[in-house]
Amino acid sequence: MSSGLIETRVDKAFDALARRLTARAAAIATAVTAANAETQALAARGDKSRWRRADLLWPLFAKG
């Protein structure tokens, strides 16, 4: 009888974990995509500062 309750708790915990991981993956993809777009724009203009900007080199560790 208690095995059903345990399975339900595990299923809910797994679902919650899956939702958090999916949200985190989406946030990472958004940050990386934005950094890549800005890097390409700077490269098209020949702006060498793109190699010195931490927010473009490490988009996941930017402040804010």
Side-chain angles (χ1 to χ4, degrees), residues 5-63:
L5 180 61
I6 292 171
E7 288 175 11
T8 301
R9 286 183 185 167
V10 169
D11 289 344
K12 287 181 180 179
F14 179 77
D15 289 343
L17 174 62
R19 280 192 303 275
R20 288 193 312 268
L21 289 175
T22 301
R24 181 68 179 144
I28 290 169
T30 301
V32 170
T33 301
N36 284 340
E38 190 168 352
T39 298
Q40 289 176 354
L42 290 171
R45 292 194 310 251
D47 189 346
K48 302 292 184 191
S49 71
R50 69 185 187 275
W51 297 111
R52 294 184 298 274
R53 292 189 45 195
D55 64 324
L56 298 179
L57 295 173
W58 300 285
L60 303 181
F61 301 104
K63 291 183 181 180

